[in-house]
Amino acid sequence: MPITEEEWKRKLSPEQYRILREKGTEAPFSGEYLDSHEKGMYRCAACGAELFSSGTKFDSGTGWPSFTEPANLKNIDLRDDYSEGSRRIEVACKNCGSHLGHVFDDGPKDRGGKRYCINSACLLLGKK
Ligand code: FE
């Protein structure tokens, strides 16, 4: 059974709810995983799906955790987002539908050129 918004509100912190369920964005340079270099798997903070491996994380200087590629494309949903006028590509969790961030084409050229710009509040690091 799908989880209702009331249940998400109980399960998540207010900040997580705002970002994951209402497509919010955390303030840049504020998230707990921004400078994290610990090894492990970043999972969806809402449902636990595997999203990004620490091995693909890089310091983009943008203020949000950045990854070159998802750990498992099957767990990722990409959607057109015109909310700020120009087209961006929203990254969402395919398993629970929660918003995660956006993906841009200005990532490291030698690693595929993508920058998955993901809110720390949407992630939970399972350490290895
Ligand atoms: Fe999820």
Side-chain angles (χ1 to χ4, degrees), residues 44 46-49 93 95-98:
C44 176
C47 77
C93 174
N95 186 51
C96 72
S98 292

Side-chain angles (χ1 to χ4, degrees), residues 59-77:
D59 291 323
S60 65
T62 59
W64 292 279
S66 300
F67 303 87
T68 55
E69 62 184 327
N72 190 340
L73 267 176
K74 280 190 298 194
N75 292 343
I76 294 287
D77 209 9

Side-chain angles (χ1 to χ4, degrees), residues 52-92:
F52 297 95
S53 165
S54 61
T56 67
K57 193 172 184 292
F58 68 101
D59 291 323
S60 65
T62 59
W64 292 279
S66 300
F67 303 87
T68 55
E69 62 184 327
N72 190 340
L73 267 176
K74 280 190 298 194
N75 292 343
I76 294 287
D77 209 9
L78 301 179
R79 311 161 170 169
D80 285 334
D81 174 10
Y82 293 94
S83 63
E84 287 183 8
S86 61
R87 174 173 179 262
R88 291 181 298 163
I89 300 173
E90 179 194 0
V91 181

Side-chain angles (χ1 to χ4, degrees), residues 2-123:
I3 297 178
T4 66
E5 288 310 308
E6 276 313 305
E7 286 170 309
W8 281 126
K9 256 180 205 168
R10 278 200 297 274
K11 191 176 151 83
L12 302 169
S13 73
E15 168 83 343
Q16 285 179 317
Y17 183 84
R18 182 182 72 80
I19 298 169
L20 285 156
R21 304 304 305 173
E22 300 183 326
K23 302 183 197 283
T25 303
E26 69 197 7
F29 301 101
S30 73
E32 75 166 298
Y33 293 127
L34 176 62
D35 292 322
S36 172
H37 295 282
E38 291 197 78
K39 287 189 171 47
M41 179 62 68
Y42 288 91
R43 294 172 176 273
C44 176
C47 77
E50 292 189 355
L51 298 177
F52 297 95
S53 165
S54 61
T56 67
K57 193 172 184 292
F58 68 101
D59 291 323
S60 65
T62 59
W64 292 279
S66 300
F67 303 87
T68 55
E69 62 184 327
N72 190 340
L73 267 176
K74 280 190 298 194
N75 292 343
I76 294 287
D77 209 9
L78 301 179
R79 311 161 170 169
D80 285 334
D81 174 10
Y82 293 94
S83 63
E84 287 183 8
S86 61
R87 174 173 179 262
R88 291 181 298 163
I89 300 173
E90 179 194 0
V91 181
C93 174
K94 199 163 208 164
N95 186 51
C96 72
S98 292
H99 173 79
L100 302 172
H102 290 85
V103 58
F104 302 96
D105 287 326
D106 57 5
K109 293 246 185 311
D110 57 341
R111 291 165 69 187
K114 297 287 183 196
R115 171 172 61 94
Y116 286 80
C117 182
I118 306 298
N119 291 284
S120 282
C122 304
L123 300 172

